[in-house]
Amino acid sequence: MTDLRKTVETFWATAEARDWAAFENTLAEDVVYTLPQTRERISGRERYVRFNREYPADWHLRIERIVAEPGQVVSWIHFTVGLEEMYGISFFTGDEHGRIAAVTDFWPEPYEPPAGREHLVERY
């Protein structure tokens, strides 16, 4: 079995480079991409590559951290679109060939914390 962590590292590197042919090679033919926050799902490699290729604006990403175990990888990425910055958490599942079979993305929105806990926290 191919190392899924390396596949995910290649997935992000080729996405950042806009190398869609290499990006496509990281994916299983029947890959499923899920966005729980918007309740969207994309099935199939061709549609998922097109979704990424057609994403609007000038975006960039960098990997903050990857945690991996056999067949499963979680990545934390820093993502920018123009001047907007955000962090994403992606859960990957691999197939028997070490390709990505499923991706579930979470894009949490930053928000101000509720009042009353200032004595417990340090803001950064």
Side-chain angles (χ1 to χ4, degrees):
M1 183 170 175
T2 304
D3 184 1
L4 185 60
R5 179 190 180 107
K6 288 180 185 172
T7 303
V8 170
E9 289 170 349
T10 301
F11 169 93
W12 288 126
T14 56
E16 172 63 24
R18 312 306 193 266
D19 183 347
W20 302 119
F23 179 84
E24 182 176 326
N25 289 334
T26 67
L27 305 170
E29 181 70 35
D30 59 350
V31 65
V32 175
Y33 176 61
T34 307
L35 289 150
Q37 289 160 300
T38 59
R39 297 180 322 278
E40 294 175 290
R41 181 171 296 124
I42 297 170
S43 298
R45 181 169 48 200
E46 183 179 328
R47 291 170 61 107
Y48 183 51
V49 171
R50 184 173 176 187
F51 173 84
N52 282 279
R53 187 178 55 238
E54 293 179 2
Y55 192 88
D58 183 29
W59 55 268
H60 295 280
L61 64 89
R62 76 169 181 269
I63 297 170
E64 293 287 329
R65 183 173 183 186
I66 291 181
V67 178
E69 63 181 50
Q72 298 183 82
V73 173
V74 178
S75 68
W76 169 28
I77 64 163
H78 178 260
F79 189 79
T80 59
V81 180
L83 298 177
E84 185 179 2
E85 296 184 37
M86 63 194 85
Y87 290 91
I89 300 168
S90 302
F91 293 83
F92 296 86
T93 304
D95 70 6
E96 65 276 4
H97 303 291
R99 291 177 301 204
I100 297 166
V103 183
T104 302
D105 268 352
F106 292 92
W107 297 94
E109 292 289 326
Y111 63 93
E112 288 301 310
R117 60 184 184 199
E118 299 83 6
H119 63 290
L120 300 173
V121 302
E122 173 186 339
R123 295 293 304 273
Y124 61 93

